[in-house]
Amino acid sequence: KAGVTQTPRYLIKTRGQQVTLSCSPISGHRSVSWYQQTPGQGLQFLFEYFSETQRNKGNFPGRFSGRQFSNSRSEMNVSTLELGDSALYLCASSYDSYEQYFGPGTRLTVT
Amino acid sequence: KQEVTQIPAALSVPEGENLVLNCSFTDSAIYNLQWFRQDPGKGLTSLLLIQSSQREQTSGRLNASLDKSSGRSTLYIAASQPGDSATYLCAVSRQTGANNLFFGTGTRLTVIP
């Protein structure tokens, strides 16, 4: 069974631009969660999608948004990028509310 | 708000030693607790998951225990190996079972050959 995949793996953007990251969950998993990891704040929950609906949301500004498609693939979008958005973005998939499996992450650098 | 703390922040041990990593959380109303390892620049690998109704879980040389009432979990690693070198993170999920994990800051483990 293929694991969680994330694309792209690395990304460099300029301040003020927007970016879209993609996550493909493990086959059969309906839940996709997104996390931001930075050296200063550690791992923080962004949001979770379950069956195309946002089920939970963390404490991030509205510049961070996401969606989930009918095949459970998910995208997250960050608009008007700031230097502080530089981070490793991880997505995790789960079959309902159980063990979460993480992808390799997308390393975003904002210059 | 749930806060998760891991002590120590870093640990260095000689190969073959048994060791214990600690995790504490402030809100005992959790659904489950999960231990992960993270290699530098990589994603997270799930090691063990303990449901709130369970006391411990074992996988190979790893044993995790949970004391929900005191807000504590430990990860025991037996006969450590250099390949165990990584950052170990614990994370708890809320009572409702929603998939938003609260993570600790991690323990960076180095096993010296």
Side-chain angles (χ1 to χ4, degrees), chain A residues 9-10 31 33 35 37 43-45 48 55-56 88 90 94 96-105 107, chain B residues 31-32 34 36 38 41-49 51 89 94 96-104:
Chain A
R9 294 292 314 280
Y10 302 92
S31 168
S33 300
Y35 296 83
Q37 186 176 31
L43 269 154
Q44 293 183 287
F45 171 76
E48 180 209 2
R55 186 159 74 168
N56 288 287
L88 181 65
L90 295 163
S94 172
D96 205 356
S97 304
Y98 201 59
E99 190 168 3
Q100 292 195 43
Y101 297 88
F102 282 76
R107 172 76 63 186
Chain B
Y31 185 68
N32 61 43
Q34 208 167 342
F36 298 90
Q38 184 175 32
K42 302 285 180 63
L44 277 62
T45 300
S46 178
L47 298 173
L48 289 164
L49 178 141
Q51 294 279 53
L89 296 147
R94 289 180 348 199
T96 58
N99 286 327
N100 54 324
L101 294 173
F102 293 89
F103 279 87

Side-chain angles (χ1 to χ4, degrees), chain B residues 51-70:
Chain B
Q51 294 279 53
S52 61
S53 58
Q54 298 174 320
R55 297 285 292 189
E56 65 179 317
Q57 282 287 341
T58 298
S59 175
R61 295 182 295 107
L62 306 179
N63 175 277
S65 68
L66 174 64
D67 184 342
K68 208 173 85 152
S69 60
S70 68

